[in-house]
Amino acid sequence: MAEHFVTEPLSGWGRFPVERCNVYRPESRRQLTAILESGAQPSLISFGLGRSYGDAPLNSQEGVICHTRLNRLLAFDAQSGVLECEAGVSLAEILQYFLPRGFFLSVTPGTKFVTVGGAIAADVHGKNHHQDGTFGNFVLDFKLLTPKGETISCSPNNNFELFWATHGGMGLTGIILSARIKLRPVESAWALVDYQKATNLEDALERMTESDIRYQYSVAWIDCLASGRHMGRAVLMRGNHAPAKELPRRIRRPLSQPPHRHWTLPFDFPSMALNSFTVRAFNSLYYGTHRSAARQLIDLDTFFYPLDAIYHWNRMYGRRGFVQYQVALPLDGGLEGLKVVLARLARSRRASFLAVLKRLGMPNPGLLSFPIQGYTLALDLPVNRGLVPLLHELDRVVLSYGGRVYLAKDAVMTSQSFAAMYPKLEQFRAVKRKVDPQGLLSSSQARRLAIVEK
Ligand SMILES: Cc1cc2nc3c(=O)[nH]c(=O)nc-3n(C[C@H](O)[C@H](O)[C@H](O)COP(=O)(O)OP(=O)(O)OC[C@H]3O[C@@H](n4cnc5c(N)ncnc54)[C@H](O)[C@@H]3O)c2cc1C
């Protein structure tokens, strides 16, 4: 029975917060519509693979629709690289079928375990934002099931406003049923990557600004515990897809990935395992062992998804979970803002062993889409006493530099900060009122941030 749900504890990837939700797992559109029409829940929200970190796909004590059984590939045109699929298809599934046929994703986040619906709803970006923009730039159109039970086709030429409200709209404008997305033709399953060390944040950003144009993909790992003149020392990892003719002869099948070993973290680490001492040791090792090196041949899985090799790596942060704090800061004043954030964090003696810095290119018309032209920094911080007030303080710093927090990672922001960071919020609310006048689509995050009325 489609209308059956199971009440279970649910969380995003950060495992904070954990909330009891009424979870449906429909297997067909008919079942999906029946859930919507049943009126059994005061509100509903879609859930992809739960790779957003906080409460965006959660709905405490109310309905959650899990999309992973609605995952059929529908059509593919090998000439244009356009794939039509249901929203529950994961990027991992797309790669599994289409990389051996010479196609990669046009934009991919740092994990392939996200659904197409989740990628659209968060309007995800990757290492190529400075060149190509977000996932939304490669969505030709999608079908949206609205709370009124209508299926609306949205594209840049058809229902423009709804199209761009849904990109980054965190599931609040409708249920994405299927989408047509453009894949990127590639000659191999490999990238040629340059590694460069930067002595501090300025050095890292200067190098990126000067030469990112040569790289389709660019990202930097930064040591957020280094201080003084080494604050923000970094390892830059920048590369391009490897043409088949540049592969060594030992690689006989250019489009095959080498076999990978996967590990599973079998249990929660004790909460104290990641502290400023262990992270400092890790950071010194990481910075020390990486050498500047040009044209390293790295398979795409290793380059794009290093963490996917360890299943349940989020258990490393212990039972209380963690928050990924990801902010975007504009070109103008952004460097200063990043320094203030890093300095405040260092003073708090909190350490993120995963600190990632990227450049962001031009934004798109997405009403709640995250990227603005400038820089983005992402830090993983274990949940413990004092974290939430600290993040609220950092939010105010980010805001004072004209920046914003990424909704796909957010778990604690206040509605005031959110409203100040996203100037198109009123426009978004107007679209939502039109398409969902009863406010059926809601989430714990949407209520916390007052995107919807309580
Ligand atoms: C290791 C790791 C690395 C990451 N790296 C990046 C990165 O580089 N760049 C980046 O942008 N993000 C990154 N993310 C975040 C991730 O890409 C996004 O949070 C993405 O939205 C997760 O997709 P999901 O399918 O798991 O969706 P969920 O997390 O389950 O849901 C996310 C949002 O999408 C909505 N949604 C899901 N399916 C549908 C649907 N069918 N219809 C309507 N709404 C829907 C949900 O309601 C929710 O609001 C990373 C996450 C992890 C864990």
Side-chain angles (χ1 to χ4, degrees), residues 13 45-53 56 67 87 109-111 114-115 117-118 121-122 124-125 170-171 174 176 313 358 406 408-409:
W13 190 244
I45 194 69
S46 291
F47 190 99
L49 279 166
R51 260 32 178 217
S52 49
Y53 281 71
H67 281 264
T111 172
V114 315
T115 62
V124 299
H125 58 275
M170 306 311 282
I176 303 160
W313 63 261
K358 291 187 242 192
Y406 189 13
K409 310 289 176 75

PDB file of all heavy atoms in Angstrom, residues 13 45-53 56 67 87 109-111 114-115 117-118 121-122 124-125 170-171 174 176 313 358 406 408-409, ligand 1:
ATOM      1  N   TRP A  13      23.560  13.797   6.046  1.00  0.00           N
ATOM      2  CA  TRP A  13      24.875  13.162   6.127  1.00  0.00           C
ATOM      3  C   TRP A  13      25.630  13.533   7.406  1.00  0.00           C
ATOM      4  O   TRP A  13      26.434  12.768   7.920  1.00  0.00           O
ATOM      5  CB  TRP A  13      25.693  13.543   4.875  1.00  0.00           C
ATOM      6  CG  TRP A  13      26.958  12.764   4.747  1.00  0.00           C
ATOM      7  CD1 TRP A  13      28.215  13.262   4.799  1.00  0.00           C
ATOM      8  CD2 TRP A  13      27.089  11.356   4.560  1.00  0.00           C
ATOM      9  NE1 TRP A  13      29.125  12.239   4.647  1.00  0.00           N
ATOM     10  CE2 TRP A  13      28.463  11.066   4.492  1.00  0.00           C
ATOM     11  CE3 TRP A  13      26.177  10.304   4.427  1.00  0.00           C
ATOM     12  CZ2 TRP A  13      28.951   9.772   4.310  1.00  0.00           C
ATOM     13  CZ3 TRP A  13      26.658   9.002   4.244  1.00  0.00           C
ATOM     14  CH2 TRP A  13      28.028   8.759   4.197  1.00  0.00           C
ATOM     15  N   ILE A  45       7.942  16.223   2.413  1.00  0.00           N
ATOM     16  CA  ILE A  45       9.159  16.712   1.740  1.00  0.00           C
ATOM     17  C   ILE A  45       9.849  15.524   1.071  1.00  0.00           C
ATOM     18  O   ILE A  45       9.744  14.394   1.556  1.00  0.00           O
ATOM     19  CB  ILE A  45      10.128  17.441   2.721  1.00  0.00           C
ATOM     20  CG1 ILE A  45      11.206  18.236   1.960  1.00  0.00           C
ATOM     21  CG2 ILE A  45      10.803  16.453   3.680  1.00  0.00           C
ATOM     22  CD1 ILE A  45      10.701  19.434   1.204  1.00  0.00           C
ATOM     23  N   SER A  46      10.529  15.801  -0.027  1.00  0.00           N
ATOM     24  CA  SER A  46      11.255  14.738  -0.738  1.00  0.00           C
ATOM     25  C   SER A  46      12.582  14.448  -0.052  1.00  0.00           C
ATOM     26  O   SER A  46      13.215  15.334   0.529  1.00  0.00           O
ATOM     27  CB  SER A  46      11.548  15.174  -2.175  1.00  0.00           C
ATOM     28  OG  SER A  46      10.363  15.232  -2.911  1.00  0.00           O
ATOM     29  N   PHE A  47      13.014  13.199  -0.183  1.00  0.00           N
ATOM     30  CA  PHE A  47      14.309  12.743   0.348  1.00  0.00           C
ATOM     31  C   PHE A  47      14.990  11.969  -0.773  1.00  0.00           C
ATOM     32  O   PHE A  47      14.420  11.044  -1.340  1.00  0.00           O
ATOM     33  CB  PHE A  47      14.050  11.822   1.553  1.00  0.00           C
ATOM     34  CG  PHE A  47      15.276  11.461   2.350  1.00  0.00           C
ATOM     35  CD1 PHE A  47      15.577  12.142   3.523  1.00  0.00           C
ATOM     36  CD2 PHE A  47      16.120  10.427   1.949  1.00  0.00           C
ATOM     37  CE1 PHE A  47      16.705  11.800   4.286  1.00  0.00           C
ATOM     38  CE2 PHE A  47      17.243  10.080   2.696  1.00  0.00           C
ATOM     39  CZ  PHE A  47      17.534  10.769   3.878  1.00  0.00           C
ATOM     40  N   GLY A  48      16.225  12.372  -1.114  1.00  0.00           N
ATOM     41  CA  GLY A  48      16.954  11.671  -2.169  1.00  0.00           C
ATOM     42  C   GLY A  48      17.812  10.583  -1.550  1.00  0.00           C
ATOM     43  O   GLY A  48      17.335   9.521  -1.165  1.00  0.00           O
ATOM     44  N   LEU A  49      19.125  10.877  -1.413  1.00  0.00           N
ATOM     45  CA  LEU A  49      20.010   9.916  -0.738  1.00  0.00           C
ATOM     46  C   LEU A  49      20.532  10.480   0.575  1.00  0.00           C
ATOM     47  O   LEU A  49      21.505   9.974   1.137  1.00  0.00           O
ATOM     48  CB  LEU A  49      21.170   9.533  -1.661  1.00  0.00           C
ATOM     49  CG  LEU A  49      20.806   8.459  -2.693  1.00  0.00           C
ATOM     50  CD1 LEU A  49      21.864   8.379  -3.790  1.00  0.00           C
ATOM     51  CD2 LEU A  49      20.634   7.084  -2.052  1.00  0.00           C
ATOM     52  N   GLY A  50      19.908  11.563   1.040  1.00  0.00           N
ATOM     53  CA  GLY A  50      20.278  12.111   2.350  1.00  0.00           C
ATOM     54  C   GLY A  50      21.712  12.609   2.403  1.00  0.00           C
ATOM     55  O   GLY A  50      22.340  12.577   3.451  1.00  0.00           O
ATOM     56  N   ARG A  51      22.240  13.105   1.267  1.00  0.00           N
ATOM     57  CA  ARG A  51      23.619  13.597   1.278  1.00  0.00           C
ATOM     58  C   ARG A  51      23.682  15.099   1.547  1.00  0.00           C
ATOM     59  O   ARG A  51      24.774  15.668   1.561  1.00  0.00           O
ATOM     60  CB  ARG A  51      24.317  13.259  -0.043  1.00  0.00           C
ATOM     61  CG  ARG A  51      25.245  12.042  -0.022  1.00  0.00           C
ATOM     62  CD  ARG A  51      24.837  10.982   0.885  1.00  0.00           C
ATOM     63  NE  ARG A  51      25.736   9.848   0.828  1.00  0.00           N
ATOM     64  CZ  ARG A  51      25.332   8.585   0.916  1.00  0.00           C
ATOM     65  NH1 ARG A  51      24.048   8.315   1.068  1.00  0.00           N
ATOM     66  NH2 ARG A  51      26.196   7.605   0.902  1.00  0.00           N
ATOM     67  N   SER A  52      22.553  15.756   1.709  1.00  0.00           N
ATOM     68  CA  SER A  52      22.653  17.092   2.290  1.00  0.00           C
ATOM     69  C   SER A  52      22.946  16.857   3.767  1.00  0.00           C
ATOM     70  O   SER A  52      22.608  15.811   4.317  1.00  0.00           O
ATOM     71  CB  SER A  52      21.388  17.905   2.065  1.00  0.00           C
ATOM     72  OG  SER A  52      20.270  17.155   2.419  1.00  0.00           O
ATOM     73  N   TYR A  53      23.584  17.814   4.402  1.00  0.00           N
ATOM     74  CA  TYR A  53      24.140  17.518   5.724  1.00  0.00           C
ATOM     75  C   TYR A  53      23.153  17.707   6.874  1.00  0.00           C
ATOM     76  O   TYR A  53      23.252  17.046   7.894  1.00  0.00           O
ATOM     77  CB  TYR A  53      25.373  18.408   5.966  1.00  0.00           C
ATOM     78  CG  TYR A  53      26.605  17.887   5.266  1.00  0.00           C
ATOM     79  CD1 TYR A  53      26.720  17.944   3.883  1.00  0.00           C
ATOM     80  CD2 TYR A  53      27.654  17.328   5.991  1.00  0.00           C
ATOM     81  CE1 TYR A  53      27.840  17.467   3.241  1.00  0.00           C
ATOM     82  CE2 TYR A  53      28.788  16.843   5.357  1.00  0.00           C
ATOM     83  CZ  TYR A  53      28.869  16.912   3.982  1.00  0.00           C
ATOM     84  OH  TYR A  53      29.977  16.428   3.354  1.00  0.00           O
ATOM     85  N   ALA A  56      17.472  19.654   5.655  1.00  0.00           N
ATOM     86  CA  ALA A  56      16.724  19.997   4.431  1.00  0.00           C
ATOM     87  C   ALA A  56      15.765  18.880   3.998  1.00  0.00           C
ATOM     88  O   ALA A  56      14.640  19.166   3.604  1.00  0.00           O
ATOM     89  CB  ALA A  56      17.686  20.358   3.303  1.00  0.00           C
ATOM     90  N   HIS A  67      12.864   8.859  -2.601  1.00  0.00           N
ATOM     91  CA  HIS A  67      12.759   8.714  -4.067  1.00  0.00           C
ATOM     92  C   HIS A  67      13.584   7.587  -4.665  1.00  0.00           C
ATOM     93  O   HIS A  67      13.590   7.413  -5.877  1.00  0.00           O
ATOM     94  CB  HIS A  67      13.192  10.029  -4.728  1.00  0.00           C
ATOM     95  CG  HIS A  67      12.128  11.058  -4.691  1.00  0.00           C
ATOM     96  ND1 HIS A  67      11.267  11.282  -5.738  1.00  0.00           N
ATOM     97  CD2 HIS A  67      11.739  11.906  -3.705  1.00  0.00           C
ATOM     98  CE1 HIS A  67      10.419  12.233  -5.409  1.00  0.00           C
ATOM     99  NE2 HIS A  67      10.684  12.626  -4.179  1.00  0.00           N
ATOM    100  N   ALA A  87      13.881  11.158 -11.105  1.00  0.00           N
ATOM    101  CA  ALA A  87      14.668  11.980 -10.177  1.00  0.00           C
ATOM    102  C   ALA A  87      15.412  11.152  -9.134  1.00  0.00           C
ATOM    103  O   ALA A  87      16.385  11.616  -8.537  1.00  0.00           O
ATOM    104  CB  ALA A  87      13.753  12.981  -9.479  1.00  0.00           C
ATOM    105  N   PRO A 109      28.945  17.092  -7.717  1.00  0.00           N
ATOM    106  CA  PRO A 109      29.435  17.450  -6.378  1.00  0.00           C
ATOM    107  C   PRO A 109      30.518  16.466  -5.952  1.00  0.00           C
ATOM    108  O   PRO A 109      30.868  15.553  -6.708  1.00  0.00           O
ATOM    109  CB  PRO A 109      28.184  17.325  -5.505  1.00  0.00           C
ATOM    110  CG  PRO A 109      27.303  16.348  -6.211  1.00  0.00           C
ATOM    111  CD  PRO A 109      27.623  16.457  -7.673  1.00  0.00           C
ATOM    112  N   GLY A 110      31.023  16.612  -4.739  1.00  0.00           N
ATOM    113  CA  GLY A 110      32.117  15.779  -4.253  1.00  0.00           C
ATOM    114  C   GLY A 110      31.721  14.381  -3.815  1.00  0.00           C
ATOM    115  O   GLY A 110      32.548  13.663  -3.239  1.00  0.00           O
ATOM    116  N   THR A 111      30.503  13.990  -4.052  1.00  0.00           N
ATOM    117  CA  THR A 111      30.083  12.595  -3.874  1.00  0.00           C
ATOM    118  C   THR A 111      29.168  12.236  -5.024  1.00  0.00           C
ATOM    119  O   THR A 111      28.417  13.091  -5.513  1.00  0.00           O
ATOM    120  CB  THR A 111      29.355  12.358  -2.530  1.00  0.00           C
ATOM    121  OG1 THR A 111      28.835  11.026  -2.531  1.00  0.00           O
ATOM    122  CG2 THR A 111      28.215  13.329  -2.301  1.00  0.00           C
ATOM    123  N   VAL A 114      24.389  11.004  -4.799  1.00  0.00           N
ATOM    124  CA  VAL A 114      23.267  11.936  -4.693  1.00  0.00           C
ATOM    125  C   VAL A 114      22.342  11.659  -5.865  1.00  0.00           C
ATOM    126  O   VAL A 114      22.770  11.165  -6.899  1.00  0.00           O
ATOM    127  CB  VAL A 114      23.710  13.426  -4.711  1.00  0.00           C
ATOM    128  CG1 VAL A 114      24.894  13.684  -3.815  1.00  0.00           C
ATOM    129  CG2 VAL A 114      24.043  13.887  -6.101  1.00  0.00           C
ATOM    130  N   THR A 115      21.072  11.977  -5.690  1.00  0.00           N
ATOM    131  CA  THR A 115      20.112  11.735  -6.770  1.00  0.00           C
ATOM    132  C   THR A 115      20.045  12.959  -7.694  1.00  0.00           C
ATOM    133  O   THR A 115      20.436  14.066  -7.307  1.00  0.00           O
ATOM    134  CB  THR A 115      18.708  11.481  -6.199  1.00  0.00           C
ATOM    135  OG1 THR A 115      18.277  12.667  -5.493  1.00  0.00           O
ATOM    136  CG2 THR A 115      18.682  10.284  -5.260  1.00  0.00           C
ATOM    137  N   GLY A 117      17.290  14.364  -8.489  1.00  0.00           N
ATOM    138  CA  GLY A 117      16.342  15.275  -7.821  1.00  0.00           C
ATOM    139  C   GLY A 117      17.039  16.121  -6.769  1.00  0.00           C
ATOM    140  O   GLY A 117      16.821  17.340  -6.686  1.00  0.00           O
ATOM    141  N   GLY A 118      17.905  15.495  -5.982  1.00  0.00           N
ATOM    142  CA  GLY A 118      18.644  16.225  -4.941  1.00  0.00           C
ATOM    143  C   GLY A 118      19.621  17.220  -5.556  1.00  0.00           C
ATOM    144  O   GLY A 118      19.820  18.315  -5.026  1.00  0.00           O
ATOM    145  N   ALA A 121      17.430  20.123  -6.710  1.00  0.00           N
ATOM    146  CA  ALA A 121      16.821  20.856  -5.592  1.00  0.00           C
ATOM    147  C   ALA A 121      17.855  21.703  -4.838  1.00  0.00           C
ATOM    148  O   ALA A 121      17.516  22.740  -4.273  1.00  0.00           O
ATOM    149  CB  ALA A 121      16.124  19.892  -4.645  1.00  0.00           C
ATOM    150  N   ALA A 122      19.127  21.243  -4.802  1.00  0.00           N
ATOM    151  CA  ALA A 122      20.164  22.046  -4.136  1.00  0.00           C
ATOM    152  C   ALA A 122      20.963  22.863  -5.157  1.00  0.00           C
ATOM    153  O   ALA A 122      21.851  23.624  -4.785  1.00  0.00           O
ATOM    154  CB  ALA A 122      21.099  21.143  -3.342  1.00  0.00           C
ATOM    155  N   VAL A 124      23.383  21.923  -7.199  1.00  0.00           N
ATOM    156  CA  VAL A 124      24.740  21.642  -6.724  1.00  0.00           C
ATOM    157  C   VAL A 124      25.800  22.172  -7.703  1.00  0.00           C
ATOM    158  O   VAL A 124      25.546  22.345  -8.883  1.00  0.00           O
ATOM    159  CB  VAL A 124      24.968  20.121  -6.477  1.00  0.00           C
ATOM    160  CG1 VAL A 124      24.019  19.612  -5.416  1.00  0.00           C
ATOM    161  CG2 VAL A 124      24.836  19.329  -7.761  1.00  0.00           C
ATOM    162  N   HIS A 125      26.961  22.417  -7.149  1.00  0.00           N
ATOM    163  CA  HIS A 125      28.086  22.888  -7.950  1.00  0.00           C
ATOM    164  C   HIS A 125      29.253  21.920  -7.744  1.00  0.00           C
ATOM    165  O   HIS A 125      29.238  21.125  -6.798  1.00  0.00           O
ATOM    166  CB  HIS A 125      28.504  24.288  -7.502  1.00  0.00           C
ATOM    167  CG  HIS A 125      28.872  24.326  -6.058  1.00  0.00           C
ATOM    168  ND1 HIS A 125      27.944  24.490  -5.060  1.00  0.00           N
ATOM    169  CD2 HIS A 125      30.058  24.149  -5.435  1.00  0.00           C
ATOM    170  CE1 HIS A 125      28.546  24.439  -3.889  1.00  0.00           C
ATOM    171  NE2 HIS A 125      29.831  24.226  -4.081  1.00  0.00           N
ATOM    172  N   MET A 170      15.179  23.460  -2.671  1.00  0.00           N
ATOM    173  CA  MET A 170      15.198  22.470  -1.586  1.00  0.00           C
ATOM    174  C   MET A 170      13.872  21.706  -1.460  1.00  0.00           C
ATOM    175  O   MET A 170      13.377  21.447  -0.353  1.00  0.00           O
ATOM    176  CB  MET A 170      15.569  23.129  -0.244  1.00  0.00           C
ATOM    177  CG  MET A 170      16.873  23.918  -0.260  1.00  0.00           C
ATOM    178  SD  MET A 170      18.288  23.049  -0.984  1.00  0.00           S
ATOM    179  CE  MET A 170      18.769  21.947   0.328  1.00  0.00           C
ATOM    180  N   GLY A 171      13.299  21.369  -2.597  1.00  0.00           N
ATOM    181  CA  GLY A 171      12.124  20.489  -2.609  1.00  0.00           C
ATOM    182  C   GLY A 171      10.820  21.169  -2.237  1.00  0.00           C
ATOM    183  O   GLY A 171       9.801  20.487  -2.071  1.00  0.00           O
ATOM    184  N   GLY A 174       7.780  21.629  -5.425  1.00  0.00           N
ATOM    185  CA  GLY A 174       7.105  20.488  -6.037  1.00  0.00           C
ATOM    186  C   GLY A 174       7.995  19.269  -5.948  1.00  0.00           C
ATOM    187  O   GLY A 174       9.130  19.357  -5.463  1.00  0.00           O
ATOM    188  N   ILE A 176      10.100  16.707  -7.949  1.00  0.00           N
ATOM    189  CA  ILE A 176      10.706  16.511  -9.270  1.00  0.00           C
ATOM    190  C   ILE A 176      10.536  15.037  -9.628  1.00  0.00           C
ATOM    191  O   ILE A 176      10.966  14.148  -8.879  1.00  0.00           O
ATOM    192  CB  ILE A 176      12.200  16.909  -9.270  1.00  0.00           C
ATOM    193  CG1 ILE A 176      12.364  18.359  -8.820  1.00  0.00           C
ATOM    194  CG2 ILE A 176      12.822  16.688 -10.644  1.00  0.00           C
ATOM    195  CD1 ILE A 176      13.766  18.719  -8.330  1.00  0.00           C
ATOM    196  N   TRP A 313      31.746   7.201   6.129  1.00  0.00           N
ATOM    197  CA  TRP A 313      32.852   7.948   6.748  1.00  0.00           C
ATOM    198  C   TRP A 313      32.315   8.979   7.742  1.00  0.00           C
ATOM    199  O   TRP A 313      33.054   9.459   8.602  1.00  0.00           O
ATOM    200  CB  TRP A 313      33.773   8.589   5.719  1.00  0.00           C
ATOM    201  CG  TRP A 313      33.171   9.634   4.828  1.00  0.00           C
ATOM    202  CD1 TRP A 313      32.734   9.457   3.557  1.00  0.00           C
ATOM    203  CD2 TRP A 313      32.949  11.026   5.131  1.00  0.00           C
ATOM    204  NE1 TRP A 313      32.248  10.638   3.041  1.00  0.00           N
ATOM    205  CE2 TRP A 313      32.367  11.621   3.991  1.00  0.00           C
ATOM    206  CE3 TRP A 313      33.188  11.834   6.236  1.00  0.00           C
ATOM    207  CZ2 TRP A 313      32.015  12.966   3.922  1.00  0.00           C
ATOM    208  CZ3 TRP A 313      32.838  13.179   6.180  1.00  0.00           C
ATOM    209  CH2 TRP A 313      32.260  13.728   5.043  1.00  0.00           C
ATOM    210  N   LYS A 358      37.160  26.711  -2.988  1.00  0.00           N
ATOM    211  CA  LYS A 358      36.978  26.725  -4.444  1.00  0.00           C
ATOM    212  C   LYS A 358      36.686  28.140  -4.886  1.00  0.00           C
ATOM    213  O   LYS A 358      36.224  28.950  -4.093  1.00  0.00           O
ATOM    214  CB  LYS A 358      35.764  25.861  -4.838  1.00  0.00           C
ATOM    215  CG  LYS A 358      35.941  24.372  -4.647  1.00  0.00           C
ATOM    216  CD  LYS A 358      34.756  23.596  -5.222  1.00  0.00           C
ATOM    217  CE  LYS A 358      34.039  22.833  -4.147  1.00  0.00           C
ATOM    218  NZ  LYS A 358      33.086  21.859  -4.538  1.00  0.00           N
ATOM    219  N   TYR A 406      25.392  27.860   2.572  1.00  0.00           N
ATOM    220  CA  TYR A 406      24.774  26.933   1.604  1.00  0.00           C
ATOM    221  C   TYR A 406      23.660  26.124   2.284  1.00  0.00           C
ATOM    222  O   TYR A 406      23.912  25.432   3.285  1.00  0.00           O
ATOM    223  CB  TYR A 406      25.877  26.000   1.094  1.00  0.00           C
ATOM    224  CG  TYR A 406      25.518  25.094  -0.063  1.00  0.00           C
ATOM    225  CD1 TYR A 406      24.359  25.268  -0.802  1.00  0.00           C
ATOM    226  CD2 TYR A 406      26.373  24.059  -0.422  1.00  0.00           C
ATOM    227  CE1 TYR A 406      24.065  24.436  -1.872  1.00  0.00           C
ATOM    228  CE2 TYR A 406      26.096  23.217  -1.492  1.00  0.00           C
ATOM    229  CZ  TYR A 406      24.928  23.411  -2.205  1.00  0.00           C
ATOM    230  OH  TYR A 406      24.642  22.580  -3.251  1.00  0.00           O
ATOM    231  N   ALA A 408      22.209  23.424   1.413  1.00  0.00           N
ATOM    232  CA  ALA A 408      22.378  21.963   1.401  1.00  0.00           C
ATOM    233  C   ALA A 408      23.248  21.484   2.559  1.00  0.00           C
ATOM    234  O   ALA A 408      23.265  20.301   2.886  1.00  0.00           O
ATOM    235  CB  ALA A 408      22.996  21.522   0.074  1.00  0.00           C
ATOM    236  N   LYS A 409      23.986  22.400   3.174  1.00  0.00           N
ATOM    237  CA  LYS A 409      24.872  22.012   4.273  1.00  0.00           C
ATOM    238  C   LYS A 409      24.357  22.519   5.614  1.00  0.00           C
ATOM    239  O   LYS A 409      24.791  22.070   6.663  1.00  0.00           O
ATOM    240  CB  LYS A 409      26.279  22.594   4.032  1.00  0.00           C
ATOM    241  CG  LYS A 409      26.859  22.336   2.642  1.00  0.00           C
ATOM    242  CD  LYS A 409      27.228  20.908   2.427  1.00  0.00           C
ATOM    243  CE  LYS A 409      27.715  20.578   1.043  1.00  0.00           C
ATOM    244  NZ  LYS A 409      29.057  21.009   0.729  1.00  0.00           N
TER     245      LYS A 409
HETATM  246  C1  LIG B   1      30.782  14.005   0.713  1.00  0.00           C
HETATM  247  C2  LIG B   1      29.862  15.050   0.169  1.00  0.00           C
HETATM  248  C3  LIG B   1      30.344  15.959  -0.743  1.00  0.00           C
HETATM  249  C4  LIG B   1      29.504  16.938  -1.269  1.00  0.00           C
HETATM  250  N1  LIG B   1      30.025  17.823  -2.157  1.00  0.00           N
HETATM  251  C5  LIG B   1      29.247  18.781  -2.681  1.00  0.00           C
HETATM  252  C6  LIG B   1      29.755  19.692  -3.641  1.00  0.00           C
HETATM  253  O1  LIG B   1      30.930  19.629  -4.026  1.00  0.00           O
HETATM  254  N2  LIG B   1      28.907  20.620  -4.143  1.00  0.00           N
HETATM  255  C7  LIG B   1      27.590  20.690  -3.770  1.00  0.00           C
HETATM  256  O2  LIG B   1      26.878  21.551  -4.299  1.00  0.00           O
HETATM  257  N3  LIG B   1      27.088  19.835  -2.868  1.00  0.00           N
HETATM  258  C8  LIG B   1      27.875  18.887  -2.312  1.00  0.00           C
HETATM  259  N4  LIG B   1      27.346  18.002  -1.406  1.00  0.00           N
HETATM  260  C9  LIG B   1      25.934  18.144  -1.032  1.00  0.00           C
HETATM  261  C10 LIG B   1      25.003  17.322  -1.928  1.00  0.00           C
HETATM  262  O3  LIG B   1      25.443  17.333  -3.258  1.00  0.00           O
HETATM  263  C11 LIG B   1      23.608  17.947  -1.898  1.00  0.00           C
HETATM  264  O4  LIG B   1      23.172  18.106  -0.599  1.00  0.00           O
HETATM  265  C12 LIG B   1      22.558  17.135  -2.661  1.00  0.00           C
HETATM  266  O5  LIG B   1      21.367  17.869  -2.638  1.00  0.00           O
HETATM  267  C13 LIG B   1      22.300  15.769  -2.016  1.00  0.00           C
HETATM  268  O6  LIG B   1      21.415  15.043  -2.854  1.00  0.00           O
HETATM  269  P1  LIG B   1      20.503  13.875  -2.282  1.00  0.00           P
HETATM  270  O7  LIG B   1      19.937  13.123  -3.441  1.00  0.00           O
HETATM  271  O8  LIG B   1      21.219  13.099  -1.260  1.00  0.00           O
HETATM  272  O9  LIG B   1      19.313  14.717  -1.653  1.00  0.00           O
HETATM  273  P2  LIG B   1      18.821  14.907  -0.085  1.00  0.00           P
HETATM  274  O10 LIG B   1      20.015  15.232   0.695  1.00  0.00           O
HETATM  275  O11 LIG B   1      18.068  13.691   0.271  1.00  0.00           O
HETATM  276  O12 LIG B   1      17.890  16.134  -0.274  1.00  0.00           O
HETATM  277  C14 LIG B   1      18.439  17.404  -0.569  1.00  0.00           C
HETATM  278  C15 LIG B   1      17.303  18.349  -0.969  1.00  0.00           C
HETATM  279  O13 LIG B   1      16.751  17.919  -2.199  1.00  0.00           O
HETATM  280  C16 LIG B   1      15.344  17.768  -2.114  1.00  0.00           C
HETATM  281  N5  LIG B   1      14.962  16.697  -3.025  1.00  0.00           N
HETATM  282  C17 LIG B   1      15.516  15.464  -3.134  1.00  0.00           C
HETATM  283  N6  LIG B   1      14.887  14.760  -4.107  1.00  0.00           N
HETATM  284  C18 LIG B   1      13.919  15.574  -4.617  1.00  0.00           C
HETATM  285  C19 LIG B   1      12.919  15.416  -5.614  1.00  0.00           C
HETATM  286  N7  LIG B   1      12.794  14.294  -6.339  1.00  0.00           N
HETATM  287  N8  LIG B   1      12.079  16.447  -5.836  1.00  0.00           N
HETATM  288  C20 LIG B   1      12.179  17.606  -5.142  1.00  0.00           C
HETATM  289  N9  LIG B   1      13.108  17.806  -4.184  1.00  0.00           N
HETATM  290  C21 LIG B   1      13.968  16.806  -3.933  1.00  0.00           C
HETATM  291  C22 LIG B   1      15.110  17.443  -0.636  1.00  0.00           C
HETATM  292  O14 LIG B   1      13.799  17.784  -0.240  1.00  0.00           O
HETATM  293  C23 LIG B   1      16.145  18.312   0.038  1.00  0.00           C
HETATM  294  O15 LIG B   1      15.654  19.614   0.229  1.00  0.00           O
HETATM  295  C24 LIG B   1      28.146  17.003  -0.870  1.00  0.00           C
HETATM  296  C25 LIG B   1      27.656  16.082   0.046  1.00  0.00           C
HETATM  297  C26 LIG B   1      28.497  15.111   0.565  1.00  0.00           C
HETATM  298  C27 LIG B   1      27.953  14.119   1.557  1.00  0.00           C
END
